Amino acid sequence: MGNEVTNFNDILKNSFLNESMFGNLSAIDILLGLLTAFMTGAFIYFIYKITYKGVLYSPSFNLTLLIMTMITALVIMTISTNVVLSLGMVGALSIVRFRTAIKDPLDVVFMFWAIAAGISSGAGLYLLTFIGAIVIGIVIFVLSRKKHTDIVYLLVIHYTEEANDEVKRELQKLNYTLKSKVVRKKHIELTAEIGLKIDNTSFMDKLGELNGVQDVSLVQYNGDYAV
């Protein structure tokens, strides 16, 4: 009677030793998964290239997105054939640390997109991979082409103390936010954030004509760095 009693540990052990826990992938399944990952990664590569709005386009990062999609698919196909191996791989991947700084938040979106596409490709969900890629690609493309009513710029002015009042008077005519002001031996550097609906920069000529103003610079600003 005692030998017939099966506890939870025995069930778990028998489950892991069962042959059904180990699967095999055919060469066709592997090629289809990698081909789907490659096609989706190439589509992500194309969308990233035509919608990039940052300071400096990085071909190496874009290529990384394509390769990441294929590698993720390969990892998913590997762990899907062996439950024991999947647990070990999860532990191995948990110690990986990526220290590369991501300057553009949209780059993180593309990285998650590449990983998600690789997961669905490796799991054999080819229709989901293609439909998801098309829908996400259209959304990113449409939003990237949307025109903003206000374009934000940084206005940098170098002037002496004698022009301080006149500079303030001219700045009051603009919708500006003071970002920084540095004073060095009666020489002042003022940085202000302004929003312009059209490319009307006539105010720069007025500022440049003031006595004591040395130079006036205007650069586009996206929230993190100037363009």
Side-chain angles (χ1 to χ4, degrees):
M1 184 68 178
N3 295 332
E4 296 179 358
V5 177
T6 303
N7 56 30
F8 179 75
N9 291 332
D10 295 332
I11 296 175
L12 186 63
K13 183 184 298 183
N14 292 332
S15 297
F16 274 98
L17 294 177
N18 195 320
E19 291 183 358
S20 62
M21 301 300 292
F22 300 88
N24 292 316
L25 288 175
S26 64
I28 296 178
D29 292 333
I30 297 174
L31 291 177
L32 282 176
L34 292 178
L35 180 61
T36 302
F38 173 78
M39 295 175 62
T40 309
F43 181 72
I44 296 173
Y45 179 96
F46 174 75
I47 293 296
Y48 180 84
K49 185 174 183 179
I50 65 175
T51 61
Y52 184 77
K53 299 296 183 182
V55 178
L56 183 62
Y57 170 74
S58 175
S60 60
F61 176 80
N62 200 3
L63 183 61
T64 300
L65 296 176
L66 193 157
I67 303 302
M68 182 186 299
T69 307
M70 298 184 65
I71 293 177
T72 304
L74 186 63
V75 171
I76 295 301
M77 286 189 286
T78 301
I79 66 178
S80 64
T81 60
N82 192 317
V83 176
V84 178
L85 182 60
S86 68
L87 297 177
M89 185 166 290
V90 169
L93 293 177
S94 65
I95 66 175
V96 178
R97 295 292 184 270
F98 299 97
R99 301 184 181 275
T100 302
I102 304 298
K103 295 182 179 180
D104 191 345
L106 194 58
D107 289 350
V108 180
V109 175
F110 278 94
M111 291 181 64
F112 274 105
W113 184 12
I115 294 173
I119 292 174
S120 58
S121 299
L125 304 175
Y126 309 129
L127 184 61
L128 174 63
T129 304
F130 287 128
I131 294 178
I134 293 173
V135 173
I136 295 174
I138 292 175
V139 170
I140 294 177
F141 180 80
V142 171
L143 293 179
S144 67
R145 290 296 182 267
K146 184 178 179 181
K147 299 294 183 181
H148 299 284
T149 56
D150 289 336
I151 300 178
V152 180
Y153 293 89
L154 285 181
L155 178 64
V156 183
I157 311 172
H158 294 91
Y159 58 95
T160 59
E161 287 186 352
E162 61 178 340
N164 190 41
D165 294 335
E166 295 183 355
V167 169
K168 286 183 178 180
R169 192 177 302 112
E170 290 295 330
L171 287 177
Q172 288 175 356
K173 301 177 183 179
L174 304 172
N175 181 21
Y176 81 98
T177 301
L178 181 64
K179 303 296 290 186
S180 67
K181 184 176 181 180
V182 181
V183 180
R184 301 186 185 93
K185 296 180 179 181
K186 298 184 179 181
H187 290 274
I188 302 173
E189 178 185 275
L190 186 144
T191 303
E193 179 183 311
I194 62 174
L196 299 178
K197 293 185 178 180
I198 56 177
D199 296 334
N200 183 10
T201 59
S202 58
F203 63 91
M204 295 182 62
D205 297 330
K206 295 180 180 179
L207 287 170
E209 292 173 356
L210 297 177
N211 293 328
V213 175
Q214 300 170 351
D215 58 75
V216 182
S217 303
L218 187 68
V219 292
Q220 190 176 347
Y221 179 68
N222 68 358
D224 295 322
Y225 37 75
V227 179

